[in-house]
Amino acid sequence: MRLSRYFLPILRDDPKEAEIVSHRLMLRAGMIRQEAAGSYSWLPLGFRVLKKIEQIVREEQNRAGAIEVLMPTIQSADLWRRSGRYDAYGKEMLRITDRHEREMLFGPTNEEMITDIFRQGVQSYKDVPRNLYHIQWKFRDEVRPRFGVMRGREFLMKDAYSFDLTREAGQHSYNKMFVSYLKTFARMGLKAVPMRAETGPIGGKDSHEFLILAPTGESEVFFDQTFLDMDWSAFDIDYDDVDAVSKVVGDFTSRYAATSEMHDAADYEKRVPADRRVNGRGIEVGHIFFFGTKYAEPLGCVVQGPDGKMVTLESGSYGIGVSRLVGGIIEASHDKDGIIWPESVAPFDIGLINIKAGDAEADAASEKIYKALTAKGKDVLYDDRNQPGGAKFATMDLIGLPWQVIIGPRGLKDGVAEIKNRKTGARENVALDQVVARLAG
């Protein structure tokens, strides 16, 4: 993509309304535009990151055996009344009346709807276990939306729902999602520490939230340093192996990790040596629940068991804040110059900077490298604009692409291009005919 033809409305100055780093950088980098309090349009650069994150989430859900569906954003109030949550949920729920005076709502979550869908589609115990998920926009009418996409009213979320015949089978479904989340966040360059959590308005028996360490996190966290020392991307897993999955979950949950709401100072000091105690702030990027028959019972989600008797299904729900992750990754990965994207979610792989656009030699060398990298399957953002080099460097650092290739008259005299690693800041001169092999080999 040539930057001269791209829509990238960079802001030179920090927006006054931005209170945290991710909000400031997303606005400055032209990733989002606010339309109303807590509601944003996703501009081309931000949308590319959003779709990259969404695809990683989708792939890992599929690997864990979940099946993708798509449910509507607008739901009937009748379902929520049957579960008992319509009046209990509070003012965060946006209630709507349609032209026929039917009471509707903009879905903040989908436990009722998916349970009703599954109830109508399941016939016997042979139809379970199943885990259905979708990636859909939600709306929660936050009393004080703030921090950009970190605490907005409208947000993109992956929510999955498991259905099992027994409590033990339901625990395995819960464990599979636990492990899937570890692998999902690791692919994004994150270590999201799983912590015991309150079940909140969703309710249920078991709950873990996954938090990434960041100074601007909304929760105070306490955990064992060994979490950060582990290589979370190194293990393969057979999700059908109950013992193997349980062992991974047991390894993680045996280590101390808690938010302030669940923190036990005496237990923390007893279990974690002083030199391994990590206190900080965390951003929640995922939350899983096992709530048993909480929704299946009032909504009549039952099947005929192997003995012919009717059994109420056991369920769990599993959420990942897809749009929130964009802000969360920035909070965890930035410097004074801008964003530092992990390669797996970067909007483009490489930023190509032609320092002297209009110069025949610089244009020819830049074009050749641009076409060759693109032919190798690399997403390249080519800054071919007629602007000073300093402005181009600032733009590339701000938007945080993992690699920069810099072409200029000085390097061309020596037959080299400069390659910069955005994360480390390391620079090296590479022969022009070796640039493509260096970055796409």
Side-chain angles (χ1 to χ4, degrees), residues 351-368:
L352 175 61
I353 302 173
N354 181 351
I355 295 178
K356 197 171 183 180
D359 176 84
E361 190 177 3
D363 288 350
S366 298
E367 286 287 339
K368 184 176 181 180

Side-chain angles (χ1 to χ4, degrees), residues 74-76 95-105:
I74 304 299
Q75 304 181 30
S76 168
R95 292 163 169 84
I96 305 165
T97 302
D98 71 10
R99 67 192 300 168
H100 300 291
E101 300 302 317
R102 289 178 296 224
E103 291 181 288
M104 314 291 284
L105 58 100

Side-chain angles (χ1 to χ4, degrees), residues 16-289:
K16 292 180 181 179
E17 70 271 25
E19 300 177 65
I20 62 172
V21 170
S22 60
H23 192 193
R24 171 170 59 83
L25 290 176
M26 289 181 76
L27 289 170
R28 281 202 59 210
M31 295 178 64
I32 55 173
R33 180 181 183 273
Q34 181 170 316
E35 302 298 341
S39 180
Y40 294 87
S41 290
W42 288 79
L43 306 184
L45 194 77
F47 189 62
R48 289 178 72 97
V49 177
L50 190 69
K51 299 306 285 186
K52 289 265 188 96
I53 290 173
E54 179 183 327
Q55 187 58 25
I56 290 173
V57 171
R58 175 176 289 110
E59 289 171 4
E60 293 302 327
Q61 287 292 285
N62 293 345
R63 286 194 180 103
I67 304 164
E68 188 169 12
V69 299
L70 185 62
M71 291 175 275
T73 58
I74 304 299
Q75 304 181 30
S76 168
D78 292 342
L79 278 174
W80 285 68
R81 285 201 171 94
R82 286 166 60 189
S83 73
R85 279 209 301 175
Y86 185 73
D87 294 319
Y89 202 90
K91 292 184 177 180
E92 286 76 23
M93 180 189 290
L94 181 63
R95 292 163 169 84
I96 305 165
T97 302
D98 71 10
R99 67 192 300 168
H100 300 291
E101 300 302 317
R102 289 178 296 224
E103 291 181 288
M104 314 291 284
L105 58 100
F106 196 126
T109 184
N110 281 76
E111 282 80 8
E112 284 82 1
M113 182 173 285
I114 196 66
T115 302
D116 192 55
I117 289 170
F118 197 73
R119 176 187 66 80
Q120 296 181 60
V122 67
Q123 295 182 348
S124 80
Y125 69 92
K126 296 179 181 179
D127 295 322
V128 292
R130 293 292 186 273
N131 188 321
L132 305 178
Y133 79 96
H134 75 158
I135 301 173
Q136 179 63 289
W137 291 94
K138 312 284 191 213
F139 189 93
R140 294 177 188 168
D141 198 2
E142 291 276 355
V143 64
R144 191 186 173 199
R146 56 198 301 225
F147 303 151
V149 301
M150 297 295 293
R151 193 171 177 178
R153 294 195 298 169
E154 189 174 8
F155 53 94
L156 187 62
M157 181 177 173
K158 184 283 302 182
D159 41 324
Y161 304 91
S162 61
F163 297 90
D164 287 275
L165 197 63
T166 66
R167 175 69 176 85
E168 293 73 25
Q171 185 64 56
H172 179 53
S173 292
Y174 183 91
N175 289 348
K176 289 198 313 186
M177 287 293 101
F178 188 108
V179 174
S180 175
Y181 276 33
L182 295 175
K183 296 177 74 65
T184 297
F185 297 128
R187 282 188 60 186
M188 299 176 195
L190 300 172
K191 289 190 173 181
V193 180
M195 302 189 183
R196 284 289 304 274
E198 298 284 358
T199 56
I202 289 179
K205 302 172 183 177
D206 297 327
S207 176
H208 284 87
E209 56 186 354
F210 292 74
L211 295 101
I212 56 176
L213 203 61
T216 52
E218 69 269 60
S219 301
E220 187 176 8
V221 296
F222 307 82
F223 63 92
D224 192 325
Q225 172 69 39
T226 56
F227 275 111
L228 302 181
D229 296 336
M230 300 165 69
D231 184 354
W232 295 19
S233 60
F235 66 90
D236 290 319
I237 195 80
D238 176 359
Y239 283 107
D240 292 326
D241 187 331
V242 175
D243 292 336
V245 173
S246 179
K247 184 177 184 303
V248 173
V249 174
D251 187 22
F252 277 85
T253 56
S254 67
R255 304 163 194 264
Y256 190 94
T259 61
S260 55
E261 292 83 1
M262 304 289 285
H263 179 53
D264 183 331
D267 189 38
Y268 184 45
E269 293 175 6
K270 178 182 178 181
R271 292 172 55 190
V272 185
D275 63 344
R276 293 208 323 250
R277 294 174 196 157
V278 179
N279 301 352
R281 304 202 68 82
I283 296 169
E284 181 192 332
V285 290
H287 206 153
I288 62 177
F289 303 84

